[in-house]
Amino acid sequence: MAYQSEAELELQFIDQLNKQEYTTIDIPDYDALVENFKVQFEVFNKEKLNTPLTGKEWERIFNLMLGKSIFQSAKTLRDKFVLEREDGTKVYLSFFNNDHSKNIFQVTHQTTVIGKYANRYDVTLLVNGLPLIQVELKRRGIDIREAINQVMRYKKHSYNGLYHFIQLFIVSNGVDTKYFANSDRDLLYSHAFFWTDFNNVRITNLKEFSISFLARDHIIKMLTRYTILNDTDKILMVMRPYQVYAVEALVRQAVLTNRNAYIWHTTGAGKTLTSFKTAQILAANPNIKKVIFLVDRKDLDSQTTEEFNKFEAGSVDATEKTDVLAKQMKDKNRQLIVTTMQKMANAVKRPQYAKIMDAYKTEKVIFIIDECHRSQFGDMHKDIVRHFQKAQFFGFTGTPRFEVNGKTEGKITQTTEMLFGECLHNYLIKDAIFDNNVLGFHIEYIKTMEGDFDWNDPTVADSIDVGELYMSEERMSLIANHIVQNHKAKTRNGQYTAIFAVSSIEALVKYYSLFKKIKHDLNISGIFSYGQNEDAEGKDEHSRDALERIICDYNSMYGTNFSTDTFSAYHKDISDRVKGKKTKALDILIVVNMFLTGFDSKTLSVLYVDKDLKYHDLLQAYSRTNRVEKETKPFGIIICYRNLKKRTDDAIALFSQNHDTSGVIIPGYEYFVEKFNEMVIKLKEIALFPESVDTMQSEEDQKQFVIVFRELTKYLQALQTFIEFSFDKSALIMSEQEYQDYKSKYLMLYSKQRIDREVVSVLNDVDFCIELMESDRINVAYIMNLIRNIHFDDVKQKSYDIKHIKEELARTDNPQLLRKVELLQAFLDQVVVGLSSAEEIDAAYNDFENAEKQKEIENFAKSEDLDVKMLTDVISEYEFSGTLDAGNIRDRISKPLTLLKKRSLVNRIVEFIWKHSEKYK
């Protein structure tokens, strides 16, 4: 049976949408889109408009709407705006309504946008005339990644004007369907999600997805409630299904009952966003007097503040003064408060706040507690519960307390269920790994002690005094050297960062000193909370003095000026460096307890452990490493220098609710050797020798080669993180030289699909995962991230940051970045130096790059006496389709030239177009 064609799939999809009361409309081009918008916008706002809008009034509306970034357009979409009419009256207009029944839903397909760029879009869903959802389809059997790549190509070429209002993209091949938010930045496959039912069962079939996700009431909720405008990063974020179900379950519980509840979503699944969205929705309910979001530990304030400000700027009061909380409680207009457990406990206990706090004793107040497994078992929680007699407490945790890991008080073991009642929704670690929302763990156990005892017996520490052995200089030196020797292999040559968790402050200080004695080029630091009234008897150094010494070295390393008096600023700076947000990253951070819970960094990939951990503490610590990033981060890496095998298995079994750890714990070295060799065999079936690629006539064969070699490379880069890896002939059936020869052919196809095509190539939308082929972390994305995180509020630091970025540019070997070095240096010198904030840095760069791009075209046209429009058109055609037809270029050159001179000119034009397009892609 032949595959269902893309056109047939498209028509079936539209037919399904018609059944869901979407009206089909023919919109052949952009002008028709604008005209339809004018009609639908007036119909949508008809109750507010007595007379039709005039031409001048439409001009005002379009001036408001056009010429903005995608993020700015999303803000405009959600705002009501005042239109001053020609007769002097003012009217409040809006683009859509939270009530789905008051909106106009349309569907169109095969709209062709021709101008500077030309594209034909599959299916567009319009709400009140605006294209808010774009659907790109591939025929059955085609990887939907190719649809995402196609969306990225379209976005660069022709998603302009009203298409900047697209909020969501949907990609499908009929069998697999995903959705993701629009962005001014590159779209990542890891940010595309499957929709599911309440029980986390995927809904992948396009028809079923349409019925569930694109139901008119549901899609409006996804756009109004569950698409978040992240103010910090200037991006749109769309919630994942389990987040949506959790929010809706908690809102129902709050509105319909007086019972407490909790949500169990695994660490790394985005609980902060889910909990904040819940708080935001409940705060808008007039029957709820206050919604109070409790943060449980002061040392998490900087991260929590940063996270919450992404969703609502200025939402967090980070002061330690209870007076501020009292004022917020007194303010009747402030529905949502974000504060700490400590401040709330003080407020309900201290007499000076009694009048304010007593006003809420018998009112409906909602407490939302993130990471509720940590500190909801003490006296502060009890004091708050006693005071707020009609309050509801909603907890969020990735690692609940059960009987086996609960906190014991007397003879009673307190569990999460005892404190919060029923679990309304769960999304466990296996669910998250299956959905690729978090990564699995590759765990290595390194034996560091010999003796007449069973190393695999976890009770050994109880039967003998091993404290002295663990702290022996010989053992700790071996571990420190082992870390230094293997760190770059574990972190892809420093592309990723690591945390080293140790057992005590004493161990941290000792390890720090040992690292200083070893010759290496790693940036290593430490952080811990020191005791103000610490007993220093028998110690060579007070812990605060030790930390001061570590901070002094840190200042020398990074040109900063911190001390223990500015500990919170040091904490924030070190956090940013582990996240790779600063111009000079931190390779290894040594910690005791800090950063092992609640810390979220995509660029952190390794945890070294010389510390006893179990149950929730163990999984929380491991989970610092498993945030999804790019293909170059296949799993979180855990290196254990203590025997935590049984404790690891027990923790994963408990929090997976399953004794089968497969899928969570990644198999060992032999597994990846086997998979690599399997892919080598497949590769040889397609191309027996590297030179065989040169003789491939069929682009389908070339595509198969690309796909198989890409997968082989993924296994190789996983293998390279293992200590025992080498291109050993007894294990791997491909030599390093042979791999490099095949890689050359792969890169040749990557370049070829961008040039010299007379028809659109089937390779155009194949994901080459080119980052897998590059060993240098200094690439375009890395440099742009450094620019986004320049300290614009400090002139001296700003100058240092710019200087460091230029140094990084000078030492890159990344091919794409090398083509942009001069461009980025000019942007730093001409634009960044004059900016006072990082806001809209991406928009500023896009404007600068577009201007430079046009300038290059004009200069080349002038130097060769060519028509600028002709050259621009040819470049546009090439960037859209990959077509670079020398004959077509020759025919469009109007000036009289000899055949030889014309051929030479055409060659120069072709070379310019290729270099120009590679530089600006």
Side-chain angles (χ1 to χ4, degrees):
M1 179 179 169
Y3 282 119
Q4 179 189 40
S5 71
E6 188 178 310
E8 288 170 330
L9 181 64
E10 192 174 292
L11 292 174
Q12 283 185 0
F13 176 51
I14 292 169
D15 183 55
Q16 178 57 46
L17 289 171
N18 292 158
K19 291 173 184 173
Q20 294 172 217
E21 299 183 60
Y22 285 72
T23 303
T24 300
I25 182 168
D26 182 31
I27 299 180
D29 53 33
Y30 184 77
D31 289 341
L33 179 77
V34 171
E35 288 307 311
N36 178 65
F37 168 64
K38 286 181 179 179
V39 172
Q40 306 310 324
F41 182 77
E42 289 203 52
V43 173
F44 174 66
N45 286 285
K46 65 182 176 183
E47 292 179 6
K48 303 166 190 171
L49 295 169
N50 298 321
T51 58
L53 293 166
T54 67
K56 286 185 178 178
E57 287 166 352
W58 269 114
E59 192 176 333
R60 285 176 203 155
I61 291 169
F62 274 101
N63 283 341
L64 169 82
M65 296 177 69
L66 302 182
K68 295 182 177 179
S69 67
I70 289 162
F71 183 76
Q72 291 170 327
S73 300
K75 284 197 160 185
T76 301
L77 177 69
R78 287 159 178 79
D79 288 341
K80 285 186 169 61
F81 67 98
V82 181
L83 174 68
E84 185 172 337
R85 305 209 64 179
E86 286 195 63
D87 62 7
T89 60
K90 291 182 180 178
V91 61
Y92 286 86
L93 301 176
S94 55
F95 292 110
F96 71 162
N97 194 296
N98 292 2
D99 181 350
H100 74 279
S101 66
K102 295 180 179 175
N103 295 288
I104 303 159
F105 293 83
Q106 296 172 305
V107 56
T108 188
H109 69 123
Q110 296 299 309
T111 300
T112 302
V113 178
I114 299 174
K116 184 175 181 181
Y117 299 100
N119 292 106
R120 181 176 290 171
Y121 308 144
D122 288 347
V123 179
T124 308
L125 308 186
L126 305 112
V127 179
N128 308 321
L130 280 176
L132 299 190
I133 300 147
Q134 184 63 37
V135 185
E136 290 301 329
L137 303 173
K138 292 290 180 184
R139 68 171 173 82
R140 294 179 190 272
I142 299 293
D143 186 351
I144 58 170
R145 285 172 185 259
E146 294 188 25
I148 294 175
N149 290 338
Q150 183 176 313
V151 166
M152 288 176 66
R153 186 157 50 86
Y154 286 180
K155 191 168 79 73
K156 290 176 181 176
H157 296 166
S158 59
Y159 281 142
N160 294 315
L162 292 182
Y163 285 105
H164 267 205
F165 283 87
I166 293 172
Q167 302 297 286
L168 298 177
F169 288 105
I170 294 167
V171 291
S172 180
N173 58 10
V175 177
D176 287 324
T177 306
K178 285 191 168 188
Y179 69 99
F180 54 99
N182 197 4
S183 175
D184 290 297
R185 301 184 187 178
D186 280 348
L187 305 171
L188 300 177
Y189 183 74
S190 59
H191 291 170
F193 315 127
F194 285 110
W195 185 245
T196 72
D197 66 12
F198 183 84
N199 296 313
N200 305 315
V201 177
R202 288 179 180 177
I203 299 170
T204 60
N205 176 275
L206 182 58
K207 180 179 178 179
E208 292 170 3
F209 176 90
S210 178
I211 292 168
S212 174
F213 189 84
L214 293 174
R216 300 197 312 167
D217 58 338
H218 182 264
I219 195 61
I220 285 295
K221 279 197 293 186
M222 290 303 298
L223 294 171
T224 55
R225 275 193 176 188
Y226 302 124
T227 297
I228 291 91
L229 276 61
N230 176 331
D231 261 313
T232 302
D233 298 330
K234 306 297 177 197
I235 57 171
L236 277 69
M237 301 169 67
V238 63
M239 294 179 78
R240 304 169 194 203
Y242 59 88
Q243 294 175 313
V244 171
Y245 290 124
V247 171
E248 292 188 334
L250 284 176
V251 170
R252 282 194 301 272
Q253 187 87 340
V255 172
L256 301 177
T257 79
N258 293 314
R259 297 193 303 273
N260 300 340
Y262 75 98
I263 298 294
W264 177 6
H265 283 182
T266 192
T267 304
K271 289 187 300 298
T272 302
L273 172 57
T274 313
S275 54
F276 188 77
K277 177 51 72 172
T278 304
Q280 208 176 39
I281 292 170
L282 293 176
N285 189 312
N287 297 319
I288 297 170
K289 296 301 177 184
K290 293 280 183 189
V291 177
I292 300 164
F293 198 108
L294 283 185
V295 179
D296 69 326
R297 280 168 55 174
K298 289 179 182 178
D299 63 5
L300 293 177
D301 268 5
S302 64
Q303 166 125 353
T304 306
T305 301
E306 185 180 311
E307 287 293 312
F308 278 26
N309 283 337
K310 285 181 180 181
F311 317 135
E312 188 172 308
S315 62
V316 184
D317 163 42
T319 69
E320 294 184 13
K321 296 178 181 176
T322 307
D323 285 351
V324 176
L325 171 59
K327 285 177 185 174
Q328 292 174 336
M329 292 294 291
K330 190 176 180 180
D331 183 355
K332 301 290 183 186
N333 296 318
R334 188 176 181 112
Q335 292 299 102
L336 175 59
I337 294 172
V338 182
T339 189
T340 64
M341 171 74 72
Q342 292 86 348
K343 283 200 284 185
M344 183 56 70
N346 287 339
V348 299
K349 283 192 298 183
R350 291 181 183 173
Q352 66 263 42
Y353 306 120
K355 186 177 178 183
I356 294 170
M357 303 307 288
D358 286 353
Y360 294 96
K361 258 190 172 182
T362 58
E363 296 284 4
K364 190 174 178 82
V365 176
I366 305 288
F367 284 92
I368 293 179
I369 301 151
D370 200 5
E371 303 292 0
C372 69
H373 60 275
R374 278 211 290 272
S375 65
Q376 302 309 306
F377 299 90
D379 292 336
M380 286 188 290
H381 179 82
K382 291 172 185 172
D383 291 338
I384 295 166
V385 171
R386 273 194 296 268
H387 183 87
F388 294 94
Q389 295 166 14
K390 290 194 175 180
Q392 283 175 278
F393 290 82
F394 295 152
F396 284 80
T397 179
T399 49
R401 299 288 187 100
F402 299 101
E403 283 286 335
V404 71
N405 70 317
K407 185 172 182 179
T408 303
E409 289 189 1
K411 294 183 179 180
I412 299 172
T413 301
Q414 293 191 327
T415 66
T416 303
E417 187 175 1
M418 286 171 62
L419 281 182
F420 289 94
E422 65 182 311
C423 176
L424 292 186
H425 193 262
N426 63 43
Y427 184 73
L428 309 187
I429 188 166
K430 281 203 165 187
D431 298 321
I433 291 171
F434 178 66
D435 291 339
N436 199 39
N437 286 326
V438 299
L439 303 172
F441 304 111
H442 163 58
I443 306 172
E444 295 180 39
Y445 299 97
I446 309 298
K447 190 173 180 179
T448 61
M449 289 194 296
E450 298 290 346
D452 295 329
F453 49 82
D454 181 5
W455 170 257
N456 294 311
D457 180 0
T459 63
V460 69
D462 299 326
S463 59
I464 61 171
D465 180 12
V466 294
E468 190 177 340
L469 291 172
Y470 281 137
M471 289 294 289
S472 74
E473 182 142 349
E474 182 185 3
R475 175 182 177 274
M476 292 175 77
S477 294
L478 283 170
I479 290 170
N481 276 285
H482 184 270
I483 289 171
V484 167
Q485 288 162 13
N486 294 287
H487 181 77
K488 288 195 175 178
K490 299 292 178 192
T491 58
R492 197 169 166 83
N493 199 26
Q495 287 186 38
Y496 296 98
T497 55
I499 282 177
F500 183 15
V502 300
S503 57
S504 64
I505 293 173
E506 184 187 359
L508 187 155
V509 174
K510 191 170 181 178
Y511 268 121
Y512 183 77
S513 298
L514 287 168
F515 279 122
K516 287 187 73 174
K517 292 176 184 177
I518 302 168
K519 187 176 179 181
H520 60 79
D521 61 353
L522 302 175
N523 296 325
I524 301 174
S525 193
I527 191 168
F528 53 85
S529 298
Y530 56 87
Q532 293 286 356
N533 302 307
E534 177 184 318
D535 181 6
E537 187 177 340
K539 295 181 180 178
D540 295 333
E541 185 179 38
H542 189 284
S543 64
R544 180 169 184 175
D545 294 331
L547 182 59
E548 199 72 62
R549 183 163 53 85
I550 291 169
I551 293 174
C552 184
D553 289 346
Y554 186 90
N555 289 334
S556 299
M557 196 168 10
Y558 294 113
T560 51
N561 190 30
F562 301 115
S563 70
T564 53
D565 291 326
T566 56
F567 180 80
S568 61
Y570 173 63
H571 181 284
K572 174 72 167 63
D573 196 78
I574 220 165
S575 169
D576 286 345
R577 292 193 194 279
V578 178
K579 291 179 180 180
K581 291 172 69 173
K582 293 278 184 175
T583 54
K584 198 175 176 185
L586 185 66
D587 292 303
I588 302 171
L589 174 64
I590 318 172
V591 303
V592 181
N593 293 314
M594 297 176 78
F595 287 83
L596 296 182
T597 58
F599 179 67
D600 191 357
S601 169
K602 291 181 179 180
T603 57
L604 173 64
S605 71
V606 178
L607 177 72
Y608 302 107
V609 184
D610 186 19
K611 175 187 177 86
D612 286 332
L613 295 167
K614 61 181 179 180
Y615 291 124
H616 48 275
D617 290 333
L618 182 144
L619 191 61
Q620 287 285 336
Y622 284 15
S623 296
R624 297 315 101 209
T625 66
N626 75 340
R627 300 304 188 270
V628 173
E629 203 233 10
K630 295 182 294 190
E631 297 282 4
T632 49
K633 185 182 177 185
F635 37 67
I637 299 172
I638 315 296
I639 313 293
C640 289
Y641 296 104
R642 298 199 182 193
N643 181 22
L644 298 178
K645 174 74 170 68
K646 185 175 187 306
R647 288 183 174 182
T648 297
D649 292 345
D650 289 346
I652 290 171
L654 179 66
F655 297 118
S656 296
Q657 298 288 280
N658 191 323
H659 285 283
D660 179 9
T661 61
S662 62
V664 180
I665 297 179
I666 303 299
Y669 182 68
E670 292 74 17
Y671 168 83
F672 288 100
V673 167
E674 186 180 333
K675 288 294 180 184
F676 179 85
N677 287 338
E678 283 177 13
M679 296 311 295
V680 170
I681 292 167
K682 279 189 180 180
L683 185 73
K684 297 274 189 178
E685 288 171 357
I686 297 165
L688 185 57
F689 306 107
E691 307 82 56
S692 306
V693 179
D694 298 332
T695 59
M696 284 181 177
Q697 299 293 316
S698 163
E699 284 195 340
E700 285 296 335
D701 289 344
Q702 293 174 359
K703 180 179 175 180
Q704 284 307 307
F705 166 75
V706 167
I707 290 168
V708 172
F709 186 79
R710 182 187 70 197
E711 297 309 303
L712 181 145
T713 301
K714 287 180 186 177
Y715 287 122
L716 176 62
Q717 65 107 22
L719 277 169
Q720 287 169 336
T721 66
F722 288 82
I723 292 165
E724 57 264 54
F725 170 76
S726 69
F727 270 99
D728 181 358
K729 287 182 181 179
S730 64
L732 303 182
I733 59 174
M734 176 179 278
S735 69
E736 183 173 11
Q737 183 59 58
E738 193 176 11
Y739 171 80
Q740 292 296 337
D741 290 344
Y742 275 109
K743 177 178 166 181
S744 297
K745 300 302 179 183
Y746 183 90
L747 292 173
M748 176 196 74
L749 287 178
Y750 174 69
S751 295
K752 189 179 179 185
Q753 59 93 26
R754 305 190 56 80
I755 190 170
D756 198 27
R757 310 302 310 178
E758 302 204 2
V759 293
V760 176
S761 170
V762 299
L763 298 177
N764 274 147
D765 295 322
V766 173
D767 188 351
F768 275 79
C769 291
I770 205 67
E771 66 268 17
L772 288 169
M773 308 299 151
E774 299 167 352
S775 60
D776 196 333
R777 70 187 173 94
I778 305 173
N779 55 26
V780 176
Y782 170 76
I783 292 294
M784 285 306 297
N785 200 37
L786 295 186
I787 295 172
R788 290 182 194 111
N789 287 284
I790 287 172
H791 279 78
F792 287 95
D793 54 350
D794 183 328
V795 175
K796 186 178 177 183
Q797 187 64 37
K798 176 182 173 183
S799 177
Y800 173 85
D801 290 346
I802 291 173
K803 178 173 175 286
H804 178 72
I805 293 169
K806 288 182 177 179
E807 288 170 355
E808 295 286 78
L809 284 169
R811 69 186 189 89
T812 184
D813 67 356
N814 178 276
Q816 188 179 348
L817 181 55
L818 283 170
R819 291 190 282 267
K820 284 183 181 279
V821 164
E822 290 182 11
L823 190 69
L824 286 160
Q825 285 175 335
F827 177 62
L828 290 167
D829 291 337
Q830 296 173 33
V831 179
V832 173
V833 289
L835 294 177
S836 57
S837 100
E839 291 217 359
E840 305 298 333
I841 197 86
D842 289 278
Y845 180 73
N846 285 337
D847 290 344
F848 177 79
E849 190 179 74
N850 287 334
E852 291 298 305
K853 185 177 180 180
Q854 190 58 35
K855 197 187 298 180
E856 273 193 23
I857 293 171
E858 289 170 1
N859 288 342
F860 180 79
K862 186 177 180 181
S863 69
E864 297 288 355
D865 191 23
L866 296 169
D867 177 53
V868 174
K869 186 177 182 309
M870 180 276 288
L871 184 59
T872 303
D873 287 346
V874 172
I875 291 172
S876 299
E877 288 166 10
Y878 168 58
E879 288 179 340
F880 164 60
S881 65
T883 299
L884 197 52
D885 185 350
N888 179 45
I889 295 171
R890 186 175 58 250
D891 294 342
R892 294 170 76 167
I893 297 172
S894 56
K895 61 180 181 178
L897 291 169
T898 64
L899 189 62
L900 197 61
K901 285 186 176 180
K902 186 170 276 193
R903 184 184 298 162
S904 176
L905 176 57
V906 168
N907 288 339
R908 291 198 300 276
I909 293 170
V910 168
E911 186 180 4
F912 169 77
I913 291 172
W914 183 76
K915 286 182 178 177
H916 177 85
S917 298
E918 285 295 301
K919 180 177 179 180
Y920 290 101
K921 74 179 181 181

